[in-house]
């Protein structure tokens, strides 16, 4: 049997080949502890809250690596994933402290973009990520309705205090104007409003800021691309051809302004009748997945037509969808696939190791 010091050294060497899902760098400070005693190998490896949805994948990767290489040298190998603290650094000229800013967009209205944005934020939060929601759809802010959050935002010092949604800071024009009042703004006013939402709000330290974009291709996307480095956008569409045409236009617009496309989500993909259990493809099925494959875009998942999902949105009870056995797995999978895509991108272009603040 290998002596304890040699076994510990071998384990550390192997762990040093694993990449951190957030930065794409090989593990160093995230190797919290390695101990070997009488053939018992125990390791503690840190994972940031940014990568929390990948915890099971990360643990499995490390466990498999150690077992494949050290099972003949250790009688027992245990792996514990602990939290590794790495605060967000200010991004862009506005100084937003968020590790990733994700725009959720659609080429047209009526495809459930706001429902998807809210669900994505909830799924990330439930997984352990520090998440915020910015409702940038100034013409038709629906996030307050979906979340059931009401009230007027207040300014404390120099910062606007966002309202709270299940532990998620939430900001919307809906908290600034009466629900029955239309917002009629031109480009410069839109740019000023978005800057206020991003720079003037006390978001705190975030892993993800999810931005619910207005439908179509317009001024707000341009303002955001000029204001701060968006991590990327997620495009929401429904399966039928007419919706895909608009989704393709949205992809083209974001590519023109150099915003990466992180993936496509197909909403209203099918309907399972509660009376007979049969599945009906009301709007077709698989159109978004097919287009994603053709254009080399990640397909993040689909969401079925679900009566309860719609009812909970109308009632401001979106959080209850994660207790629904039919809906929850789709929402959780989409968040997992998004973070997995970000980890893949980071592995291909690691954050520079000379930045000591990253840890």
């Amino acid at each position: 049997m290998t002596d304890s010091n040699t076994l510990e050294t071998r384990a550390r060497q192997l762990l040093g080949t694993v990449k951190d899902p957030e930065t794409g760098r090989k593990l160093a400070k995230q190797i919290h502890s390695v101990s070997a005693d009488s053939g018992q190998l125990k390791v503690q490896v840190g994972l940031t809250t940014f990568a929390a949805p990948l915890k099971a994948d990360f643990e499995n990767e490390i466990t498999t690596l150690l077992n494949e290489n050290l099972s003949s040298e250790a009688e027992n190998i245990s792996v514990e994933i602990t939290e590794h603290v790495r605060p967000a650094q200010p991004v862009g000229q506005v100084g937003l402290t968020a590790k990733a800013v994700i725009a959720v967009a659609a080429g047209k209205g009526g495809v459930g973009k706001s429902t998807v944005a809210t669900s994505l934020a909830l799924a990330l939060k439930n997984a352990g990520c520090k998440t915020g929601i910015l409702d940038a759809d100034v013409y038709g802010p629906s996030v307050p309705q979906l979340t059931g959050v009401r009230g007027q935002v207040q300014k404390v010092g120099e910062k606007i205090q966002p309202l709270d949604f299940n532990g998620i800071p939430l900001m919307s024009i809906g908290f600034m104007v009466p629900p029955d009042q239309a917002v009629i703004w031109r480009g410069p006013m839109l740019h000023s409003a978005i800057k206020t939402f991003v720079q003037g709000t006390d978001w705190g330290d975030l892993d993800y800021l999810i931005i619910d974009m207005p439908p179509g291709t317009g001024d707000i996307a341009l303002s955001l691309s000029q204001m701060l480095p968006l991590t990327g956008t997620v495009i929401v569409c429904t399966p039928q051809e007419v919706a895909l045409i608009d989704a393709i236009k949205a992809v083209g617009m974001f590519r023109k302004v150099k915003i990466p496309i992180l993936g496509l989500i197909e909403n209203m993909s099918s309907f399972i009748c509660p009376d007979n259990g049969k599945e009906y493809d009301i709007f077709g099925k698989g159109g978004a997945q097919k287009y994603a494959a053709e254009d080399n875009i990640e397909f993040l998942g689909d969401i079925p037509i679900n009566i309860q999902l719609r009812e909970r949105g109308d009632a401001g009870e979106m959080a209850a969808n994660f207790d629904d056995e039919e809906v929850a797995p789709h929402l959780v999978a989409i968040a997992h696939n998004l973070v997995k895509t970000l980890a893949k991108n980071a592995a291909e272009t690691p954050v520079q190791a000379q930045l000591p603040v990253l840890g």
Side-chain angles (χ1 to χ4, degrees):
M1 182 179 295
T2 305
D3 69 83
S4 297
N5 289 336
T6 302
L7 181 57
E8 180 179 327
T9 299
R10 291 258 293 134
R12 286 186 178 277
Q13 289 173 340
L14 287 167
L15 291 172
T17 67
V18 177
K19 289 186 176 182
D20 169 32
E22 179 183 337
T23 64
R25 289 166 22 200
K26 292 180 180 179
L27 300 183
K29 293 182 180 179
Q30 285 172 260
I31 304 173
H32 287 178
S33 69
V34 178
S35 63
D37 183 32
S38 302
Q40 307 295 309
L41 177 64
K42 297 180 180 181
V43 303
Q44 283 188 336
V45 181
L47 186 69
T48 60
T49 53
F50 179 92
L54 304 181
K55 182 178 179 179
D57 296 357
F58 190 61
E59 182 176 353
N60 183 63
E61 178 186 0
I62 292 172
T63 301
T64 300
L65 176 68
L66 295 178
N67 276 300
E68 286 180 348
N69 290 277
L70 299 178
S71 58
S72 62
E73 304 173 44
E75 294 179 1
N76 182 63
I77 298 174
S78 67
V79 176
E80 181 183 2
I81 305 300
T82 56
E83 183 178 339
H84 184 76
V85 178
R86 184 185 294 139
Q89 301 301 306
V91 296
Q93 297 179 355
V94 297
L96 176 70
T97 50
K99 294 181 178 180
V101 183
I102 311 292
V104 179
K108 59 178 290 184
V111 299
K113 169 185 55 59
S114 297
T115 296
V116 171
T118 305
S119 299
L120 177 58
L122 273 167
L124 290 169
K125 168 65 169 53
N126 290 346
C129 307
K130 293 176 287 186
T131 309
I133 304 176
L134 169 55
D135 182 4
D137 189 353
V138 296
Y139 298 122
S142 52
V143 172
Q145 177 64 45
L146 291 169
T147 58
V149 176
R150 297 290 189 272
Q152 294 285 313
V153 292
Q154 303 293 324
K155 194 171 184 180
V156 177
E158 297 298 317
K159 292 287 187 177
I160 298 170
Q161 300 303 304
L163 299 187
D164 178 80
F165 168 55
N166 283 51
I168 299 173
L170 171 62
M171 184 63 182
S172 171
I173 190 67
F175 302 142
M176 294 182 166
V177 298
D180 58 348
Q181 182 176 317
V183 177
I184 307 173
W185 288 346
R186 295 188 183 276
M189 295 179 69
L190 286 172
H191 183 88
S192 177
I194 294 302
K195 185 175 182 180
T196 298
F197 290 161
V198 175
Q199 184 178 28
T201 300
D202 185 10
W203 291 107
D205 180 26
L206 296 178
D207 291 314
Y208 297 91
L209 178 62
I210 303 299
I211 302 181
D212 180 25
M213 301 286 285
T217 56
D219 290 336
I220 289 181
L222 296 174
S223 292
L224 284 169
S225 67
Q226 296 165 0
M227 197 178 302
L228 73 165
L230 286 176
T231 307
T233 185
V234 170
I235 305 294
V236 181
C237 65
T238 46
Q240 70 270 41
E241 191 67 28
V242 67
L244 286 171
I245 291 171
D246 291 313
I248 292 169
K249 291 178 182 177
V251 168
M253 184 276 292
F254 281 105
R255 282 175 171 164
K256 275 189 176 182
V257 295
K258 310 298 183 184
I259 296 175
I261 308 298
L262 298 175
L264 261 65
I265 296 172
E266 183 175 280
N267 194 25
M268 309 180 200
S269 60
S270 63
F271 171 68
I272 299 176
C273 180
D275 295 334
N276 56 27
K278 290 184 178 180
E279 185 173 347
Y280 298 92
D281 298 332
I282 296 175
F283 297 114
K285 187 175 182 180
Q289 186 169 10
K290 181 181 177 183
Y291 163 59
E294 291 172 349
D295 203 8
N296 197 30
I297 298 172
E298 296 287 342
F299 181 69
L300 301 180
D302 58 17
I303 302 173
I305 298 172
N306 181 278
I307 295 173
Q308 287 75 28
L309 191 153
R310 192 270 303 165
E311 290 177 343
R312 292 175 192 129
D314 288 345
E317 299 172 353
M318 291 290 291
N321 287 320
F322 290 86
D323 297 323
D324 189 311
E325 293 182 357
E326 180 184 334
V327 176
H330 294 267
L331 306 180
V332 171
I334 286 170
H336 175 272
N337 291 338
L338 172 63
V339 180
K340 191 173 181 180
T341 297
L342 294 173
K344 176 185 173 184
N345 294 345
E348 293 173 353
T349 311
V351 174
Q352 294 299 312
Q354 64 262 30
L355 298 178
V357 292
L358 292 178

